[in-house]
Amino acid sequence: MTGTSSPHYWNRRTLMDNPLRDLFRRDSLVETARLSLFGDAVFAIAITLLALEITVPTGLESSQVASALRDAVATIAAYMLSFAVTGVLWLSQHSLFRLIRVVDRGLLVLYFAFLAVVAALPFPTRLISEYGDTAAATCFYAGSVAVAIAFLCTMYVRILIRPSSASAAANPERVKAAIGRCLAMILVFVSSIPLSFVSPTVATYWWLLAIPARLLFRAASDPTRAAVSKTTA
């Protein structure tokens, strides 16, 4: 069959007449593995940019090197902090993708928003390395990390309310534990914002509570560990 009566012609014509048709599809043409690799590249670039912020002036006299290194301590500390935060976000990303079977349009938008915040983390890192004794820089850093975790949390919530996009490993208990872990970490960083107006230094140390907050829901998110706990109880 040829000409305008061909079904292939009408299929092409339909796509041309509806250029926005693909925008509202619930499923995505991006494979989860390919999307995860793209995210890995963004994380790698973000961590590289963090390291590039560690510098000392060139052309120093030998007697000035020690002083320059002391001046770089704040930058190194900010780098180590953001490296740890970025590493946790990267691990959380891979835990998330193990629970996703199909990337729908909503998950894709949320994931790109999450990566946008991750890619911008070198900026708040530079702020706290240079102005860590100010409430503005501390608040901005805490807010940036909280927003990144919030996007991650929203993706877990979407998996929970849309089981069609979830993989076989995404049992409700595991997803709820991940959501609880994200909420606990968000609480730590958000609660440090008012604290930073009292003491930015104390607010920075407050972020260490994210470690026990993350571990709080770890056993519940590990089916094997949970089963062992029930057996030994």
Side-chain angles (χ1 to χ4, degrees):
M1 189 177 293
T2 59
T4 59
S5 60
S6 170
H8 297 290
Y9 170 84
W10 288 110
N11 288 338
R12 292 195 299 269
R13 182 65 182 273
T14 301
L15 289 175
M16 288 187 292
D17 290 344
N18 298 278
L20 298 180
R21 173 177 174 271
D22 211 39
L23 183 64
F24 298 99
R25 289 179 54 177
R26 290 187 174 182
D27 59 326
S28 172
L29 299 179
V30 183
E31 298 177 357
T32 55
R34 187 179 297 273
L35 193 60
S36 178
L37 287 174
F38 174 73
D40 288 345
V42 172
F43 273 91
I45 293 172
I47 288 178
T48 302
L49 292 176
L50 290 175
L52 292 178
E53 293 293 332
I54 305 175
T55 59
V56 294
T58 58
L60 296 175
E61 299 290 339
S62 58
S63 59
Q64 298 175 312
V65 174
S67 177
L69 289 175
R70 284 194 298 269
D71 293 339
V73 168
T75 303
I76 296 172
Y79 163 76
M80 294 177 64
L81 171 65
S82 289
F83 186 91
V85 169
T86 306
V88 170
L89 292 175
W90 178 75
L91 291 172
S92 300
Q93 168 198 258
H94 280 276
S95 297
L96 172 71
F97 273 97
R98 283 195 291 269
L99 306 180
I100 297 175
R101 182 180 62 86
V102 176
V103 179
D104 61 21
R105 193 67 61 180
L107 279 173
L108 189 62
V109 171
L110 288 169
Y111 186 60
F112 276 130
F114 168 70
L115 290 182
V117 179
V118 170
L121 279 180
F123 175 64
T125 301
R126 186 172 64 183
L127 277 181
I128 61 169
S129 69
E130 296 180 359
Y131 307 103
D133 57 344
T134 66
T138 308
C139 289
F140 190 83
Y141 187 90
S144 299
V145 176
V147 168
I149 302 172
F151 280 125
L152 193 67
C153 185
T154 306
M155 285 187 278
Y156 277 115
V157 172
R158 188 170 180 83
I159 293 174
L160 188 65
I161 64 178
R162 289 183 58 84
S164 59
S165 64
S167 68
N171 61 75
E173 291 74 19
R174 187 173 185 178
V175 177
K176 289 177 182 177
I179 294 172
R181 187 164 60 246
C182 289
L183 291 175
M185 293 181 67
I186 291 172
L187 179 62
V188 170
F189 283 95
V190 170
S191 62
S192 73
I193 293 177
L195 188 60
S196 65
F197 290 97
V198 178
S199 172
T201 302
V202 173
T204 302
Y205 283 109
W206 184 264
W207 297 337
L208 294 175
L209 291 176
I211 298 174
R214 178 174 172 78
L215 295 176
L216 182 63
F217 296 89
R218 186 175 179 181
S221 64
D222 188 340
T224 303
R225 186 177 301 175
V228 172
S229 299
K230 290 180 180 179
T231 302
T232 56

